[in-house]
Each structure stands twice: as structure tokens, then as C-alpha cells.
């Protein structure tokens, strides 16, 4: 039987649903989630069984903070394609956003069983482990994602944050630098760099990095909060408080550990009758430190009230 298809004929025009899906995908890329939702509504009116449209709708609604609606959309997609690793990944992300962490973990593991070579699966699972405080496991999962996608700036930035919280400061700096090198115009790269600089007692550089993140993505509330924190740390009165917090973070037990150290040291000095000036310096120095830590925040609050941050 002869093939009636003419290879010289122009390709068939895309259907209205395909055009709308392309538009919706573009709107998602440029973060116009409201417009993506409108396009997808028109698709789903004509093609209610189109799984990909339900997935994109779930992503749009999730970004619009309508997470329960997003959950309904992705569960509809899952009913249509229960063996899709991509659908399971999106479902796991939405469950995580809803705080259903146990179910989210099971869902993400199922997605990885279906496609163990997808770096996004490890990225989302690693993010869940980071959120639930399992830093070592989160680190391993993001490292696995990086093995599969070593040039992902997002992954380098994510692992930088995890490493910083895990007290791996040199690794965190290296990961942040790599993320910035790969995507120097990424708001998230500047945001992560700002966090890394702040943790290394470089508040002025951190504020500049946060300001750059806001220049690229001015509507991001996380970036606004981080900029305000960096600006607070740049106030001269607050600099010792920032240094104290960074030092205490390295002491086992934090402030309790510092207090125990003070008690042991002061008693030892008194017991062994060490130089009275040294004993007085330790005792009154600690009391002055405590007093300063109490008044630093109110003073800076008052300062910010009269001289607010300049974005």
C-alpha cells in the first residue's frame, strides 16, 4: 500500500490546544502565572483529559499560592498518567508545600524509581530533606543531582545554602562562587552569595548582593527580608551583635555553651586566685556583653525608624 504522505508538504498547523500550551509554558518561564492559568483554562475546557495541561495548571496555581487547588490539579494529572515521574515530582513538591512531608517523601522516591537519572528528582527530594532538617542527606541528594547536571547554577546555589547551615563554610563559599559564575544574572545566585557573605561577617558586601538580587527580581519577599537583615547588620551599633552571633554559632550549645564557659572560667579564676584585674575583666566583660546583647536590637530598631533602609 502506497504512503499518501507528501514529504514536501508543509507541516500541519498546531492545534489551538498546542498553541495555548506553548503560550502557557512561555508565561510560566517569565513568571506570569496568572496569564498561564488563563491559557490553561481554555485548554482544559476543550481537552479535559490532557495530562500535561493539568500539570502546568498545578504549577501555575502553586506559584500563585493556591496550593490546595494545585493539589487537586496534579491529582487529576496523576489519575491520567500514574506512571509519569514528572507528574510524581510535581505532586511531591506540592505535598511538601502543604507540609505533608511523609507523603511527599514517598512520592518523590517513587518518582526516582521510575527515572533514577533525572537530576530534578534528586533536587526536589534534597530540598525536602533540607526543609525537614536532614542536612547530611540533603547534601548527598544534591551532590547526586550535580553528578547528573554539573553545570546547574540552581543546584550549586542550593547546596551552598545547605553547606552553610551544616557549618561547611569553605564548601559553601565555593558552591556559591560556582553558581554565580554559571548564572551571574540570576537573582537567586546573588541572594545565595549575599547569605554566604553575611555568614562570613561581610555585611556590606552582603547588602550589595541582596540589592542586586532585588534589582533583577524586585517583587520577591524573601529577597526583601534578606536585604533588610543585611542592612540591619550594616548599622555600626549592630556589627558587634552580628559578630557575636557568628561566634556563638560555632560554640557547641550556642549561648548556653557560652554561659557555661563563662561560669567555669570565672570560678577557676577565683579558685586559683589569678590576677584580680584579669578576673574582673572576664566577669565584668561578660556582664557588659550580656547588657549589650539586650540593648542592641532596640537601639538599631530606633535607628532604622529614623533612617530606614535604602533599596
Amino acid at each position: 500500500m502506497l504512503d499518501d504522505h507528501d514529504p514536501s508538504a508543509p507541516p500541519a498547523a498546531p492545534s489551538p490546544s498546542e498553541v495555548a500550551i506553548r503560550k502557557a509554558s512561555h508565561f510560566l518561564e517569565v513568571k506570569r502565572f496568572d496569564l498561564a492559568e488563563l491559557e490553561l483554562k481554555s485548554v482544559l475546557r476543550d481537552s479535559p483529559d490532557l495530562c500535561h495541561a493539568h500539570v502546568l495548571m498545578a504549577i501555575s496555581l502553586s506559584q500563585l499560592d493556591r496550593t490546595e487547588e494545585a493539589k487537586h490539579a496534579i491529582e487529576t494529572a496523576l489519575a491520567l498518567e500514574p506512571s509519569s515521574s514528572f507528574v510524581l515530582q510535581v505532586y511531591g513538591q506540592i505535598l511538601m508545600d502543604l507540609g505533608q512531608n511523609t507523603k511527599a517523601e514517598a512520592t518523590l522516591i517513587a518518582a526516582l524509581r521510575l527515572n533514577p537519572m533525572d537530576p530534578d528528582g534528586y533536587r526536589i527530594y534534597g530540598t525536602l530533606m533540607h526543609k525537614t532538617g536532614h542536612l547530611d542527606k540533603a547534601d548527598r541528594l544534591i551532590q547526586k543531582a550535580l553528578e547528573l547536571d554539573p553545570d546547574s547554577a540552581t543546584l550549586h546555589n542550593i547546596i551552598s545554602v545547605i553547606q552553610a547551615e551544616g557549618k561547611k563554610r569553605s564548601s559553601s563559599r565555593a558552591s556559591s562562587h560556582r553558581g554565580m559564575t554559571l548564572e551571574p544574572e540570576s537573582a537567586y545566585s546573588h541572594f545565595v552569595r549575599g547569605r554566604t557573605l553575611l555568614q562570613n561577617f561581610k555585611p556590606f558586601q552582603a547588602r550589595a548582593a541582596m540589592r542586586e538580587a532585588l534589582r533583577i527580581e524586585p517583587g520577591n519577599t524573601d529577597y526583601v527580608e534578606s536585604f533588610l537583615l543585611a542592612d540591619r547588620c550594616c548599622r555600626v551599633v549592630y556589627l558587634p551583635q552580628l559578630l557575636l552571633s557568628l561566634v556563638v554559632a560555632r560554640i557547641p550549645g550556642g549561648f548556653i555553651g557560652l554561659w557555661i564557659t563563662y561560669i567555669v572560667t570565672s570560678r577557676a579564676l577565683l579558685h586559683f586566685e589569678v590576677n584580680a584585674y584579669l578576673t574582673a575583666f572576664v566577669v565584668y566583660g561578660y556582664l557588659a556583653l550580656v547588657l549589650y546583647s539586650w540593648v542592641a536590637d532596640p537601639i538599631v530598631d530606633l535607628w532604622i525608624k529614623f533612617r530606614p533602609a535604602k533599596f
Side-chain angles (χ1 to χ4, degrees), residues 12-22 47 50:
S15 68
S17 293
E18 289 173 329
V19 172
I21 286 283
R22 289 176 190 173
S47 306
L50 191 58

Side-chain angles (χ1 to χ4, degrees), residues 124-293:
I124 300 170
Y125 191 11
T127 302
L128 174 63
M129 291 298 97
H130 177 213
K131 177 186 175 184
T132 53
H134 298 87
L135 296 181
D136 289 339
K137 188 170 183 178
D139 195 329
R140 290 195 301 271
L141 287 163
I142 302 301
Q143 290 286 7
K144 178 62 178 178
L146 279 166
E147 289 175 15
L148 298 167
D149 188 6
D151 292 330
S152 168
T154 298
L155 291 173
H156 285 286
N157 286 324
I158 289 171
I159 204 168
S160 173
V161 173
I162 294 169
Q163 289 166 338
E165 292 182 17
K167 307 294 190 299
K168 301 175 182 178
R169 288 180 173 80
S170 59
S171 298
S172 175
R173 286 195 298 271
S175 297
S176 173
H177 178 74
R178 180 63 177 153
M180 179 64 70
T181 302
L182 288 166
E183 285 190 9
E185 286 302 313
S186 162
Y188 188 60
S189 291
H190 287 282
F191 168 69
V192 172
R193 180 170 180 268
R195 286 184 56 159
T196 303
L197 289 165
L198 200 58
Q199 289 164 344
N200 286 278
F201 197 59
K202 295 180 179 178
F204 295 95
Q205 291 172 265
R207 181 173 62 180
M210 296 299 184
R211 182 178 281 122
E212 185 64 14
L214 280 170
R215 181 190 67 78
I216 298 167
E217 199 172 317
N220 191 303
T221 55
D222 289 336
Y223 299 169
V224 171
E225 290 175 8
S226 295
F227 173 81
L228 292 173
L229 174 61
D231 179 77
R232 181 183 190 85
C233 294
C234 288
R235 311 289 172 138
V236 176
V237 177
Y238 202 78
L239 285 172
Q241 181 81 329
L242 173 62
L243 181 60
L244 175 63
S245 67
L246 294 173
V247 170
V248 169
R250 301 187 183 202
I251 298 174
F255 276 101
I256 294 175
L258 180 64
W259 179 75
I260 292 171
T261 303
Y262 160 72
I263 294 295
V264 172
T265 304
S266 59
R267 291 205 170 192
L269 291 171
L270 291 169
H271 178 75
F272 293 107
E273 298 182 353
V274 179
N275 184 285
Y277 290 108
L278 178 60
T279 303
F281 176 78
V282 171
V283 173
Y284 291 111
Y286 179 79
L287 293 176
L289 192 64
V290 170
L291 180 63
Y292 164 76
S293 67

Side-chain angles (χ1 to χ4, degrees), residues 2-180:
L2 295 176
D3 186 356
D4 293 332
H5 176 68
D6 182 0
S8 64
S15 68
S17 293
E18 289 173 329
V19 172
I21 286 283
R22 289 176 190 173
K23 285 184 179 178
S25 299
H26 169 71
F27 287 137
L28 285 173
E29 287 177 10
V30 298
K31 302 186 177 183
R32 289 303 309 270
F33 307 113
D34 52 339
L35 298 179
E37 182 192 3
L38 291 174
E39 290 293 339
L40 292 164
K41 279 182 177 179
S42 69
V43 174
L44 290 170
R45 273 195 300 268
D46 298 329
S47 306
D49 294 333
L50 191 58
C51 178
H52 190 54
H54 286 288
V55 175
L56 295 182
M57 178 64 86
I59 294 170
S60 301
L61 294 170
S62 176
Q63 293 297 326
L64 291 167
D65 293 325
R66 290 155 57 188
T67 318
E68 286 292 346
E69 293 176 67
K71 182 172 180 278
H72 175 73
I74 198 61
E75 285 176 342
T76 303
L78 191 62
L80 293 167
E81 292 189 18
S83 298
S84 166
S85 62
F86 177 59
V87 175
L88 286 167
Q89 284 174 14
V90 177
Y91 189 33
Q93 176 71 62
I94 290 170
L95 290 170
M96 179 170 58
D97 293 342
L98 288 167
Q100 299 178 23
N101 297 329
T102 302
K103 190 174 180 181
E105 182 174 13
T107 302
L108 293 169
I109 289 171
L112 283 169
R113 284 201 190 102
L114 289 167
N115 189 358
M117 301 303 291
D118 186 352
D120 282 338
Y122 294 100
R123 174 183 59 78
I124 300 170
Y125 191 11
T127 302
L128 174 63
M129 291 298 97
H130 177 213
K131 177 186 175 184
T132 53
H134 298 87
L135 296 181
D136 289 339
K137 188 170 183 178
D139 195 329
R140 290 195 301 271
L141 287 163
I142 302 301
Q143 290 286 7
K144 178 62 178 178
L146 279 166
E147 289 175 15
L148 298 167
D149 188 6
D151 292 330
S152 168
T154 298
L155 291 173
H156 285 286
N157 286 324
I158 289 171
I159 204 168
S160 173
V161 173
I162 294 169
Q163 289 166 338
E165 292 182 17
K167 307 294 190 299
K168 301 175 182 178
R169 288 180 173 80
S170 59
S171 298
S172 175
R173 286 195 298 271
S175 297
S176 173
H177 178 74
R178 180 63 177 153
M180 179 64 70

